[in-house]
Amino acid sequence: MAYVLRFTSKKACGQLVQLRQLHSSHVCAAQVAISKFEKNKFMPYENLAKNIDVVKKRLNRPLTLSEKVLYSHLDEPASQDVVRGETYLRLRPDRVAMQDATAQMAMLQFISSGLPRVAVPATIHCDHLIEARLGGAQDLAVAKDINKEVYNFLATAGAKYGVGFWKPGSGIIHQIILENYAFPDVLLIGTDSHTPNGGGLGGLCIGVGGADAVDVLASLPWELKCPQVIGVKLTGKLAGWTSPKDIILKVADILTVKGGTGAIVEYFGPGVESISCTGMATICNMGAEIGATTSVFPYNHRMRDYLNATERGGIAEAAEKFKDVLLSADTGAEYDRVIEINLDELEPYINGPFTPDLGHPISKIGEAAKKNGWPLEVKVGLIGSCTNSSYEDMSRSASIANQALKHGMKAKSLFTITPGSEQIRATIERDQQAKALSDIGGMVLANACGPCIGQWKREDVPSGEPNTIVTSYNRNFVARNDGNPKTCAFVASPEIVTALVLAGRLDFNPLTDSLTAPDGTKFKLDSPYGDELPAKGFDPGVDTYQAPPEDGSSIQVDVSPTSDRLQLLSPFKRWDGEDLTDLRVLLKVKGKCTTDHISPAGPWLKYRGHLDNIANNCFIGAVNVENDSPNKVRNLLTGDWGAVPDTARSYKAKGVEWVVVGEQNYGEGSSREHAALEPRHLGGRAIIVKSFARIHETNLKKQGMLPLTFVNPDDYDKIRPDDKVALLGLKEMTPGKNLVCRLTHSDGSTDEFPLNHTMNEQQITWFQAGSALNRMKDLNKN
């Protein structure tokens, strides 16, 4: 059998300790700079090796690769407890990365902390605010104009506080990180859920909310519940039409969108050697779709070649010296679960629609589409994104395009291409891949996220019309790409997408089926081929980086009080020391509730720096169990039906606080902390669900919300939309001790049941202070 599940015992990991105000800089004797942009910051391998030696002596057992990376970054390696899946770790990340949509709120929070400068290397990347419509140059020009105020804020804030600034047009944050900042054994946190992309270079790169980023920027230890470790053993080797994307699509099919929650996915085995460095990044990137904390590959020659190609030979040389100590699992290391995949037997996959874990081998997708009534005509194919926009991805897709051109054939579907970075754009233009993709009818978009996150002004299909699109992106939730809930979005590799746009049909299998050329002749596509790295080296393209000055204290960062794009933050109200009683149920959610449902992206991205304005999208995509409709709830004070944000504002104006009730894996998807900030801003106090996605649960804690789960999931059914809710036991709240939920129904009857929380002692202080930021200010006063 190609896919085998095996379970092993839990192993040890770590917990939180004391607060440390200063971030110690690690210095490697070789004095190798961590990036060409930070010549005075050096590779930390020597200190990390010392730390892991301390931890190994304490644990007295072999360590997995992910454990080595995590434990080597412990704040107090000699004293912190380490138990996988149980204790909290206090960690010292090497750097922070922020994309422009989330950086606005992160920098606003940092500004309100009152600190003069960030304590660790950090960057801002302008990739989320560029709408795809006419093509790269035109769309970029429009974005620079309409987002001028936001870009100026980010550029000046970065300069003032010591953060590097990548201008609009530079590329997608994760591709820029892979090209310039990620390195083997790095611990990097980023304000985007696809930060794990950097695991393709052997580091742990973890998506977080902006408040977590502010902790690290402020030199506080970063807290993470110690993950379990899922091992994925790869045997055989990739060949033909099968690509790295198919590995993660298969893993998603096995684990589902919540199967990786609370765990790091660590790949190993002989099959790893057949995957390029950027292919590994693709796999790690989409680990976010299974809820994993992050994903990682062991250091090998593919990573060394990529480091050399991106002018980081010194890092590659240093990594070679620490390969066994830090950059690979110990012999005998045990995993909490192991999945085995034989790459020789792996078929290309197409996952979807509406969820990235609904897997279909390409030989079965046509049958599934006909059975389920999914439109077979492919209206649009879209390749690129942070997941699949490497030189190799574009080269393999171009090899398919060139075969079509030889037969005089062009795409039957609309076709878009998104380069991941300015460097990729310049290189594929020089080497003619972009030309081949354009010649079959493709439109090259700006170096930005674009349609992947809903920044797509789609005009070929009216909203509400059922249709099919196929992308090489990572997510395909309802209405995510184009705002149309009837669009069936499928996820595949770039080369499969390219083949499907040539055929114009979802049920085309390039492994077995033929295309018909304009002259009537039939031909089969040869399997794709693409160089892993450009033979002529990378062309850097236009310089789009702004380094911060050594002293930015004199720089002015302006936020106009009349702006509709930016708004300085006011502190949330502190807990009054009493139980929460007479809470109303704002919304009882039915079914899946991702961060796209809680705080949609697309046109709302422009308000990411203005909390009050963006709160007007709060829960507008979530389905109300009372009427099976989104954005329509009953105001329990007036009896009127209205939009969720309007109803929440009505409650807030009358001093009425509220809760939201949800189901499994609540908050899966993007890291956007706005999905936690908005409910808090509008008067929410608690979210009560069957289970949470990791990042969202942490984001709620940071904002002083109570993330609570049913001890008995069936108690979800006891909550009625018109109940009054009391949360009891808050005065005695301690780690591991349940709270009590008391319901008073409209008929006068009551129900009572326990609720779990996962807050540790520090997180409880966040709730008591009103938010983690309030708590930080309290500590700074002392």
Side-chain angles (χ1 to χ4, degrees):
M1 181 181 289
Y3 314 107
V4 182
L5 304 185
R6 184 170 74 246
F7 295 84
T8 59
S9 62
K10 291 185 178 180
K11 289 293 175 183
C13 192
Q15 151 174 353
L16 63 100
V17 198
Q18 64 183 14
L19 192 68
R20 186 188 281 177
Q21 296 296 326
L22 296 175
H23 184 276
S24 58
S25 61
H26 307 298
V27 179
C28 181
Q31 296 285 285
V32 176
I34 61 171
S35 85
K36 65 183 179 182
F37 303 107
E38 294 144 337
K39 304 270 178 143
N40 61 340
K41 304 284 185 182
F42 304 106
M43 291 296 293
Y45 284 153
E46 288 191 347
N47 274 4
L48 297 179
K50 290 175 184 176
N51 288 349
I52 206 62
D53 186 54
V54 169
V55 177
K56 285 189 74 171
K57 286 176 180 175
R58 290 179 56 211
L59 297 181
N60 193 30
R61 63 172 175 82
L63 298 181
T64 66
L65 166 62
S66 46
E67 287 183 301
K68 286 184 176 182
V69 181
L70 272 188
Y71 305 165
S72 65
H73 288 84
L74 286 172
D75 185 39
E76 294 288 347
S79 58
Q80 290 186 231
D81 291 337
V82 245
V83 183
R84 284 205 312 229
E86 295 184 18
T87 55
Y88 279 85
L89 303 178
R90 306 270 283 184
L91 300 159
R92 290 288 178 179
D94 297 296
R95 68 180 309 121
V96 173
M98 300 170 279
Q99 40 95 336
D100 51 356
T102 52
Q104 294 170 66
M105 195 56 67
M107 293 308 295
L108 286 165
Q109 290 177 88
F110 185 81
I111 290 169
S112 77
S113 76
L115 295 170
R117 194 170 177 87
V118 301
V120 299
T123 49
I124 293 169
H125 304 260
C126 295
D127 61 359
H128 270 57
L129 301 178
I130 303 169
E131 185 180 56
R133 185 184 183 190
L134 301 174
Q138 300 98 310
D139 294 341
L140 179 59
V142 170
K144 286 180 176 179
D145 181 50
I146 64 175
N147 299 310
K148 186 185 305 180
E149 179 186 15
V150 171
Y151 292 148
N152 179 65
F153 166 73
L154 293 174
T156 54
K160 184 175 183 68
Y161 296 106
V163 181
F165 179 70
W166 287 84
K167 301 172 187 177
S170 334
I172 305 172
I173 178 173
H174 312 303
Q175 183 67 28
I176 298 290
I177 293 297
L178 197 72
E179 293 173 354
N180 298 282
Y181 298 114
F183 59 81
D185 204 52
V186 70
L187 179 60
L188 180 152
I189 68 167
T191 59
D192 189 278
S193 57
H194 292 102
T195 301
N197 191 79
L201 261 176
L204 292 188
C205 302
I206 302 175
V208 300
D212 273 1
V214 171
D215 279 356
V216 179
L217 295 174
S219 195
L220 303 178
W222 174 58
E223 187 176 84
L224 176 72
K225 189 169 187 180
C226 189
Q228 295 186 327
V229 186
I230 297 173
V232 179
K233 182 178 181 180
L234 302 178
T235 60
K237 63 188 236 179
L238 289 177
W241 282 91
T242 307
S243 73
K245 185 66 163 275
D246 300 309
I247 297 173
I248 186 57
L249 293 178
K250 179 60 190 177
V251 171
D253 185 43
I254 294 171
L255 289 178
T256 78
V257 290
K258 61 182 181 179
T261 302
I264 292 173
V265 178
E266 182 173 317
Y267 293 83
F268 66 98
V272 169
E273 297 302 313
S274 68
I275 308 171
S276 67
C277 176
T278 51
M280 296 182 214
T282 291
I283 294 166
C284 292
N285 177 293
M286 258 197 82
E289 272 49 73
I290 56 174
T293 301
T294 192
S295 302
V296 68
F297 279 83
Y299 179 77
N300 65 5
H301 71 282
R302 302 276 194 162
M303 297 182 191
R304 181 194 64 214
D305 292 345
Y306 186 77
L307 286 167
N308 285 327
T310 51
E311 300 180 357
R312 291 177 285 170
I315 294 177
E317 187 176 339
E320 292 286 344
K321 296 175 183 176
F322 289 89
K323 183 174 180 178
D324 296 328
V325 176
L326 291 172
L327 309 181
S328 58
D330 291 331
T331 301
E334 295 190 22
Y335 300 88
D336 297 282
R337 177 180 181 179
V338 172
I339 299 167
E340 297 184 11
I341 298 178
N342 184 343
L343 302 183
D344 290 335
E345 300 175 13
L346 182 63
E347 193 176 332
Y349 262 67
I350 299 177
N351 284 22
F354 308 131
T355 184
D357 60 345
L358 182 58
H360 313 278
I362 195 166
S363 60
K364 305 291 186 184
I365 183 64
E367 175 185 337
K370 290 167 188 172
K371 178 180 177 182
N372 290 284
W374 304 326
L376 287 174
E377 181 189 4
V378 174
K379 287 289 189 180
V380 190
L382 307 99
I383 66 170
S385 84
C386 65
T387 315
N388 278 109
S389 57
S390 68
Y391 184 82
E392 181 182 39
D393 288 327
M394 295 299 171
S395 296
R396 284 171 65 88
S397 298
S399 76
I400 301 301
N402 280 320
Q403 292 181 58
L405 291 170
K406 287 181 181 177
H407 290 84
M409 193 170 184
K410 292 195 174 186
K412 292 183 179 176
S413 311
L414 296 177
F415 187 35
T416 71
I417 302 97
T418 303
S421 68
E422 170 61 11
Q423 178 167 275
I424 292 297
R425 182 208 61 78
T427 306
I428 65 171
E429 284 197 4
R430 180 198 67 193
D431 293 350
Q432 301 295 300
Q433 290 96 333
K435 184 177 186 304
L437 296 168
S438 297
D439 284 351
I440 64 166
M443 174 193 291
V444 179
L445 300 175
N447 314 322
C449 300
C452 184
I453 59 162
Q455 285 282 48
W456 182 19
K457 191 170 181 61
R458 188 179 180 191
E459 297 172 334
D460 65 297
V461 169
S463 185
E465 180 177 307
N467 72 103
T468 286
I469 65 172
V470 186
T471 83
S472 70
Y473 302 163
N474 38 52
R475 293 207 169 116
N476 58 346
F477 301 142
V478 174
R480 177 177 175 86
N481 302 123
D482 61 0
N484 182 358
K486 295 296 185 180
T487 294
C488 294
F490 295 86
V491 179
S493 68
E495 47 268 53
I496 290 294
V497 174
T498 306
L500 293 182
V501 301
L502 290 169
R505 291 183 60 85
L506 185 63
D507 57 353
F508 174 73
N509 182 353
L511 284 72
T512 58
D513 299 343
S514 296
L515 292 169
T516 303
D519 64 4
T521 61
K522 293 186 177 295
F523 68 98
K524 280 186 63 178
L525 294 167
D526 295 329
S527 58
Y529 172 79
D531 288 332
E532 181 177 343
L533 297 164
K536 299 177 185 177
F538 284 108
D539 182 337
V542 178
D543 183 7
T544 53
Y545 177 68
Q546 172 188 291
E550 289 192 20
D551 181 5
S553 58
S554 63
I555 294 171
Q556 189 72 28
V557 180
D558 292 323
V559 176
S560 169
T562 60
S563 172
D564 69 346
R565 298 290 300 271
L566 298 166
Q567 180 187 49
L568 292 174
L569 297 174
S570 299
F572 290 130
K573 185 174 70 173
R574 295 173 181 271
W575 177 53
D576 63 6
E578 301 296 326
D579 286 335
L580 297 173
T581 57
D582 289 326
L583 302 173
R584 293 293 190 167
V585 178
L586 173 68
L587 171 68
K588 185 176 180 182
V589 180
K590 179 179 180 180
K592 186 188 283 281
C593 189
T594 71
T595 50
D596 279 3
H597 293 91
I598 305 166
S599 175
W604 291 98
L605 282 169
K606 64 184 178 182
Y607 296 126
R608 284 284 181 88
H610 197 294
L611 180 55
D612 194 55
N613 280 347
I614 198 169
N616 289 321
N617 76 1
C618 191
F619 291 111
I620 64 174
V623 175
N624 184 0
V625 73
E626 198 171 6
N627 54 17
D628 280 335
S629 297
N631 201 27
K632 188 176 182 181
V633 295
R634 186 155 42 114
N635 186 321
L636 300 173
L637 303 181
T638 66
D640 297 330
W641 290 82
V644 183
D646 295 340
T647 306
R649 288 185 189 278
S650 172
Y651 289 162
K652 183 179 180 180
K654 295 177 175 64
V656 174
E657 297 176 318
W658 47 265
V659 302
V660 164
V661 182
E663 300 200 48
Q664 298 282 3
N665 207 32
Y666 177 95
E668 72 173 270
S670 298
S671 66
R672 63 189 68 144
E673 67 179 339
H674 295 77
L677 278 161
E678 293 171 32
R680 182 76 166 105
H681 174 66
L682 293 179
R685 297 310 307 272
I687 307 294
I688 306 170
V689 300
K690 296 179 181 178
S691 66
F692 283 102
R694 174 190 64 86
I695 297 177
H696 187 64
E697 182 179 24
T698 300
N699 286 345
L700 289 168
K701 293 176 183 179
K702 288 281 186 177
Q703 304 307 333
M705 293 281 283
L706 289 169
L708 306 171
T709 56
F710 298 104
V711 172
N712 177 4
D714 290 341
D715 287 338
Y716 167 89
D717 297 322
K718 293 179 180 177
I719 300 180
R720 304 172 190 172
D722 59 353
D723 282 344
K724 287 185 178 180
V725 179
L727 299 176
L728 310 176
L730 295 177
K731 294 179 183 179
E732 300 80 30
M733 183 163 56
T734 54
K737 183 177 181 180
N738 290 338
L739 300 178
V740 173
C741 178
R742 179 183 298 153
L743 304 176
T744 302
H745 304 304
S746 58
D747 61 6
S749 62
T750 61
D751 269 306
E752 195 169 285
F753 49 82
L755 293 172
N756 285 323
H757 72 85
T758 62
M759 289 184 287
N760 59 35
E761 290 178 358
Q762 174 171 274
Q763 293 167 348
I764 290 171
T765 69
W766 299 344
F767 166 73
Q768 293 168 339
S771 70
L773 191 57
N774 287 354
R775 178 62 176 160
M776 182 193 297
K777 290 178 181 177
D778 292 343
L779 293 170
N780 285 338
K781 289 176 186 175
N782 300 329

